[in-house]
Amino acid sequence: MSETLWRQQSEDRAIVGWADRNRTAACGVVIAGLVAAWLASYGVGGSRTVLPHLFYLPILVAAARFGHRGALVVAAMAGVAAGPLLPVDVATGEAQSVPNWMGRLAAFVVVGQVTAALHSRSLAVARDRLHDRSDRIALQEALERGEFVPVFQPIVDLSDGQIRTIEALARWVRSDGTVVGPDEFIGAAERTGLIGPIGLSILEQSCTQLAAWTTRDGHRPWGLSMSVNLSPCQLDAPALVAQIASVLDRTGVDPATLILEVTETGLAADPDAATRQLDELRALGVRIALDDFGVGHSSLAILHRFPIDIVKIDRTFTSTLGTDPRVGAMIEAVVGLTQALGIVPPVAEGIETPEQLRAVTALGCGAAQGYLLARPQPATEVEQLLIEGTTPFRVADLQRPVRTT
Ligand code: G
Ligand code: MN
């Protein structure tokens, strides 16, 4: 890890640590400050003196250590203590006027609240930065140790039950053996800018695996394609196309057998830039799949605007197939859309029951993916399925006719 990163991290840690440490000491400072200010003001010269300004010291300390509420309490205490309460004032007949007193109290409160707001903001920023930095350090080290690996989930062609495509899904296998899913680290990888190298590493490993499955015995026994997910951040990176070209080159994978999965969110942020990237990727010969279709915004516009080869219907649709009769009609509409666009029928994601598989087959989907057919698993296990030529649940097992109601 770089020297600068370490230094910045220890600075943030010092700020956050200071804010979190023992509050009793700060309490003592506040009380001592209040008493000292009171003694100095009234002991020395009464309320006419400028010394009441000393009350700002405990107020500022309270604002920094105890936030808005602490600043308010101490400002109120200072307001009372700075009032015309002492025999010095009363005896000399020079007690503060009420407006003067109230003005001072208001100033105490305002200064305390403004300080608390400014301080809590900078503390929150320091905390966020600290999290980002430790995430970055952990991810960077994991990347260097090769802990990001793909697992593979077969996608089955519904016309003949064959595995034609495999989706590579990222996992973080930590040194203690625990496996972390993408939901738990992709966000941090995106925030820290490490999604680029992590995504590239997954792509490279997946292409190496595809090459191994493709060139077995010098031919393509299974006619496989590999589908790899691209995060919106990766799509934003200008170097992406060159990096993918070089991975294809190094691994010897035929670009026609690589599918890159993008999401609607990834395309919507900057549609012009996304269109250019997708055009350049397709010029390499790879295909583009629209992942999680239906859960983002402006799906129709996206399909019309971007060069998409494959649509993958999100699992929220397939999972509600049995309970919401409208979902079937929606899937059918997506099938119609792919026909109108002249592309292959959609892939149904998240198939978990034979009923769902039967329904998406009847509705015209071209392929299916989900736990019913095969879970995401290591390459050796997928290879076994490839050798057997099918998944544990065979599409041919769907013998009962489909209900049409
Ligand atoms: O966004 P994308 O479709 O690439 O996400 C794939 C994720 O879905 C993976 O994390 C994978 O483990 C998960 N997944 C794959 N098949 C199923 C399934 O049948 N049911 C559920 N709930 N999740 C699935
Ligand atoms: Mn996907």
Side-chain angles (χ1 to χ4, degrees):
M1 187 196 338
S2 81
E3 180 107 355
T4 340
L5 205 56
W6 264 121
R7 212 187 47 245
Q8 287 168 339
Q9 195 188 27
S10 44
E11 279 166 15
D12 286 342
R13 204 173 268 151
I15 297 173
V16 174
W18 179 83
D20 287 339
R21 266 196 298 276
N22 187 344
R23 303 187 151 217
T24 325
C27 237
V29 172
V30 168
I31 290 166
L34 281 173
V35 172
W38 183 75
L39 285 176
S41 303
Y42 290 107
V44 175
S47 57
R48 268 179 312 129
T49 69
V50 293
L51 285 171
H53 294 288
L54 284 177
F55 281 108
Y56 285 113
L57 279 175
I59 294 171
L60 295 182
V61 172
R65 290 305 299 271
F66 304 109
H68 291 281
R69 230 183 288 168
L72 190 62
V73 170
V74 177
M77 286 161 78
V80 172
L85 295 179
L86 266 204
V88 177
D89 289 320
V90 179
T92 54
E94 290 180 31
Q96 287 182 84
S97 66
V98 171
N100 189 352
W101 186 18
M102 288 297 127
R104 185 169 285 167
L105 176 65
F108 287 165
V109 170
V110 169
V111 169
Q113 294 305 299
V114 169
T115 310
L118 292 175
H119 189 262
S120 69
R121 210 180 129 51
S122 59
L123 200 60
V125 169
R127 276 209 172 94
D128 284 353
R129 278 206 316 240
L130 187 60
H131 281 148
D132 279 0
R133 290 214 181 91
S134 31
D135 282 352
R136 191 183 159 86
I137 290 163
L139 294 173
Q140 178 83 49
E141 287 175 353
L143 183 63
E144 282 160 15
R145 286 198 292 261
E147 292 179 0
F148 295 106
V149 294
V151 287
F152 301 97
Q153 187 176 32
I155 300 173
V156 172
D157 194 317
L158 288 175
S159 65
D160 57 7
Q162 295 287 302
I163 301 170
R164 289 277 147 65
T165 307
I166 313 267
E167 179 171 356
L169 296 160
R171 296 285 183 270
W172 177 1
V173 183
R174 308 180 83 133
S175 41
D176 62 3
T178 50
V179 179
V180 183
D183 291 350
E184 289 175 58
F185 67 85
I186 294 292
E190 289 178 338
R191 272 196 310 281
T192 56
L194 280 171
I195 188 68
I198 292 175
L200 206 60
S201 161
I202 296 290
L203 177 77
E204 175 126 24
Q205 296 175 68
S206 308
C207 285
T208 305
Q209 186 57 63
L210 179 62
W213 279 331
T214 302
T215 57
R216 182 166 286 253
D217 305 329
H219 66 292
R220 291 176 50 182
W222 298 306
L224 281 184
S225 292
M226 182 70 76
S227 213
V228 182
N229 295 283
L230 280 188
S231 120
C233 301
Q234 286 174 276
L235 206 59
D236 281 346
L240 180 75
V241 180
Q243 286 167 338
I244 290 180
S246 117
V247 169
L248 289 168
D249 210 39
R250 271 201 301 282
T251 54
V253 159
D254 175 1
T257 61
L258 179 63
I259 299 165
L260 298 171
E261 298 194 4
V262 298
T263 57
E264 292 167 81
T265 351
L267 301 174
D270 183 350
D272 291 333
T275 309
R276 276 196 302 278
Q277 284 281 62
L278 295 189
D279 282 339
E280 286 184 37
L281 287 170
R282 285 175 97 232
L284 294 178
V286 305
R287 281 170 291 162
I288 307 294
L290 188 55
D291 203 3
D292 308 334
F293 182 75
V295 288
H297 302 288
S298 64
S299 303
L300 285 179
I302 293 244
L303 269 187
H304 177 249
R305 158 149 208 181
F306 295 98
I308 304 290
D309 301 285
I310 299 163
V311 174
K312 298 184 74 176
I313 301 176
D314 190 74
R315 66 169 170 270
T316 49
F317 287 99
T318 41
S319 65
T320 49
L321 249 179
T323 49
D324 186 345
R326 293 170 306 174
V327 171
M330 288 165 80
I331 293 179
E332 209 164 13
V334 179
V335 173
L337 271 175
T338 56
Q339 276 166 357
L341 291 165
I343 60 177
V344 293
V347 180
E349 298 183 299
I351 298 296
E352 294 181 353
T353 66
E355 288 69 32
Q356 289 167 355
L357 186 62
R358 189 172 296 115
V360 296
T361 310
L363 291 167
C365 289
Q369 173 180 8
Y371 293 165
L372 174 74
L373 297 155
R375 288 195 167 250
Q377 51 202 305
T380 44
E381 290 169 28
V382 172
E383 190 161 323
Q384 210 46 48
L385 300 178
L386 291 170
I387 290 166
E388 288 162 15
T390 185
T391 53
F393 186 91
R394 287 153 223 275
V395 173
D397 292 345
L398 298 175
Q399 277 153 2
R400 281 189 290 137
V402 183
R403 277 176 294 153
T404 46
T405 48

